[in-house]
Amino acid sequence: MSVPVLLLSVSAACCLGFGFVLQQAAASHAPRSDYLSPRLLLDLMRVPSWLAGIGLMVCGMVLGALALGKGEVSVVEPLLATNLLFAMALSRHRTGQRLGRQGWAGLWLLAGGVAVFLLAGRPQGGEAVSSALRHWSVVGVVVGAALLLTTVARRSRSGVAPALLAVAAGLLYGLQDALTRISGQLLAGGGWEALVAGWQPYAVLVLGATGLLLVQSAFETGPLRVSLPPLTASQPLAGIACGVGFLGDRLRTDAGALVWQAVGLLAIVAGIVLLGLHPAMPEGPVGGRREKSLQPH
């Protein structure tokens, strides 16, 4: 793993983490009638803090795209998962909560899990898979899972809906990252003509817009500690699956390496959960949130 990829990925994670905190603070005041409706995004555009959060997220996505242009998806995605560390830092600053044992444990599990996965797997780039069946099978599974989770969340009246929407958005974002890498390769190999002629750039835009709506609906209906951890955990898993599934990323496959890769991924998920449940993560104005109108703040 090169130093530029590391710096770009961590910088992207920083922007994403800060941006998610600002977005959730604004979306939590959105009216319940905006749930899973494009009107939610239109209403949020009137809130300066939300626009600031979106600006940070766009910066994070650009930096992430640059990282994907220089490194493998299987390397960049685990590093992007550290966005929760930066979200925790901003939330801790706003709430005044100390990290404590839970916070430190989550931090070390997340950071250690990323290190263990990268050291054990030693991701390397390779030739993209030529099989259209394999390519579309992976895309179909990811999109189908996101659609199923969204449908269940839409019909659910329980508190699990925000988490389901966040997982669905994370799956789409992971696929978006994989297609972003392909778009970069098209641009580098054939210029703008090749990029415009490919379907991947348009899919990136559609996935980004759909993921944004799902994320904001999750932020609207659930506190950050419920919505952000599932989003952060599902995105790298989907990205790694796409990287190995059709981008040609190669991981070590001997028994010992596979065990340590699994340990690393489990540590990442455990760290994300611990940090997401930390008291520093805002619970959001649960009571009466859905009855309020958005006000610029």
Side-chain angles (χ1 to χ4, degrees), residues 41 61 172-173 175-177 179-180 183 195-196 198-213:
L41 301 182
M61 294 176 70
L172 295 183
Y173 281 153
L175 176 59
Q176 181 192 34
D177 289 341
L179 297 182
T180 297
S183 299
L195 180 66
V196 173
W199 60 269
Q200 291 88 350
Y202 308 102
V204 167
L205 295 176
V206 172
L207 290 170
T210 305
L212 180 62
L213 176 59

Side-chain angles (χ1 to χ4, degrees), residues 107-156:
L107 186 154
W108 284 111
L109 278 171
L110 177 54
V114 170
V116 168
F117 176 81
L118 294 179
L119 289 174
R122 297 180 186 175
Q124 295 180 347
E127 293 295 328
V129 176
S130 59
S131 171
L133 176 61
R134 180 171 170 178
H135 189 127
W136 286 107
S137 294
V138 176
V139 173
V141 168
V142 174
V143 174
L147 180 60
L148 176 61
L149 290 169
T150 303
T151 302
V152 174
R154 190 180 188 92
R155 296 178 179 178
S156 175

Side-chain angles (χ1 to χ4, degrees), residues 1-10 67-68 70-80 82 111 113-125:
M1 178 177 59
S2 66
V3 174
V5 171
L6 175 62
L7 294 177
L8 287 170
S9 299
V10 174
L68 289 167
K70 297 177 178 294
E72 291 73 38
V73 174
S74 300
V75 171
V76 175
E77 287 294 348
L79 293 172
L80 290 180
T82 61
V114 170
V116 168
F117 176 81
L118 294 179
L119 289 174
R122 297 180 186 175
Q124 295 180 347

Side-chain angles (χ1 to χ4, degrees), residues 239-264:
I240 292 170
C242 292
V244 175
F246 60 81
L247 288 180
D249 287 1
R250 298 193 302 271
L251 299 172
R252 292 176 59 196
T253 55
D254 56 277
L258 289 175
V259 169
W260 281 110
Q261 289 171 52
V263 170

